[in-house]
Amino acid sequence: MLEWVLGLSGTGKTTRLLERIRARSEAGRESLLLVPEQFSSSAETMVYTALGDALSSRVRVQSFTSLAEDLLKTFGGAAVKTLTDAGRVVLVRRAAEQVQDELTVYRRHRRSVGFCSMAADAIQELKTAGAAPEALFEAAARQGDAGGRLRELALVYAAYEALLEKTALDPADRVNAAAQRLAKHPEHFAHTHVFIDNFDGFTAPQYAMLAQLVRAEGCTVAL
């Protein structure tokens, strides 16, 4: 069951969630409070202050990142190497080398650290938005002759994904990977109510995780 708690800032949404969480803890039931990573520490303090030691032990406060890591540890995948920022740049350079014969605009830049770094950042943003290389190829095709740069970025992106599949996980893919594993284990949150608070919006990987979290015992989202 999905429930929405909507209201302007300061109208008591978080207080409402805490009251619900307290009632569940008093009844011996489990809750998960999902908040943005930058709020996870303050949210833990808030829950402990409001519920005390005994009741707060039935509440997990996590971000999408920490939740994903827990799921990967539980269902497999935590040991898969995750690329560092430097590793992403190196892999982009390898990808550009692989498709160099198809590059025109970026051919002479393919070994430049600056170009590879910017391309890695662009790929990271595309992954966050849920845009696969195919979407870039389609967008480039719609632009005709003006789509050359976009097509070449799509070529590098596609080669990057192919290399990535054989080596490691991109940091942006860990939440997606965890969501895929959770999809195979819907019973994992069968006795947990998920409360989601303090988000202004969600990325594509987070939406993938949300699609699984709404299958929990209950899911309440405050916006």
Side-chain angles (χ1 to χ4, degrees), residues 10-222:
T11 54
K13 299 186 300 297
T14 299
T15 300
R16 170 80 175 270
L17 297 192
L18 282 173
E19 289 171 351
R20 294 274 305 281
I21 291 171
R22 169 180 278 279
R24 286 185 60 82
S25 293
E26 289 173 342
R29 301 164 77 183
E30 303 294 320
S31 300
L32 167 65
L33 176 60
L34 196 63
V35 297
E37 193 146 10
Q38 65 268 28
F39 296 141
S40 57
S41 179
S42 59
E44 283 182 350
T45 301
M46 176 187 67
V47 168
Y48 184 82
T49 301
L51 274 66
D53 192 30
L55 294 181
S56 62
S57 65
R58 295 192 175 276
V59 186
R60 289 164 56 195
V61 179
Q62 292 191 292
S63 65
F64 277 102
T65 301
S66 62
L67 174 60
E69 292 307 315
D70 277 358
L71 291 171
L72 291 173
K73 287 176 185 175
T74 301
F75 300 122
V80 177
K81 178 184 175 183
T82 300
L83 287 179
T84 63
D85 288 344
R88 287 169 48 240
V89 173
V90 170
L91 202 65
V92 165
R93 180 173 178 176
R94 287 178 56 195
E97 289 290 326
Q98 280 196 359
V99 297
Q100 61 177 304
D101 291 342
E102 299 180 71
L103 300 180
T104 301
V105 179
Y106 295 132
R107 183 179 177 84
R108 68 186 182 89
H109 301 293
R110 69 187 187 279
R111 295 179 180 174
S112 161
V113 174
F115 166 75
C116 292
S117 180
M118 286 189 289
D121 289 343
I123 289 171
Q124 189 83 348
E125 288 191 32
L126 289 164
K127 283 177 169 290
T128 298
E134 293 74 20
L136 267 69
F137 281 121
E138 291 174 6
R142 289 195 298 270
Q143 293 183 29
D145 293 340
R149 292 175 184 271
L150 195 56
R151 178 183 171 278
E152 292 190 10
L153 177 59
L155 285 168
V156 174
Y157 186 5
Y160 174 87
E161 290 287 87
L163 289 169
L164 192 64
E165 196 173 324
K166 302 173 185 176
T167 55
L169 271 178
D170 186 282
D173 291 331
R174 290 191 77 82
V175 173
N176 248 332
Q180 291 169 6
R181 284 160 177 76
L182 184 57
K184 298 176 182 178
H185 300 276
E187 76 287 350
H188 186 67
F189 288 120
H191 303 291
T192 300
H193 193 110
V194 179
F195 296 89
I196 301 172
D197 193 22
N198 274 318
F199 286 92
D200 293 327
F202 302 100
T203 65
Q206 289 172 348
Y207 274 120
M209 181 66 78
L210 288 171
Q212 304 309 318
L213 293 178
V214 295
R215 302 164 70 192
E217 178 189 1
C219 183
T220 300
V221 183

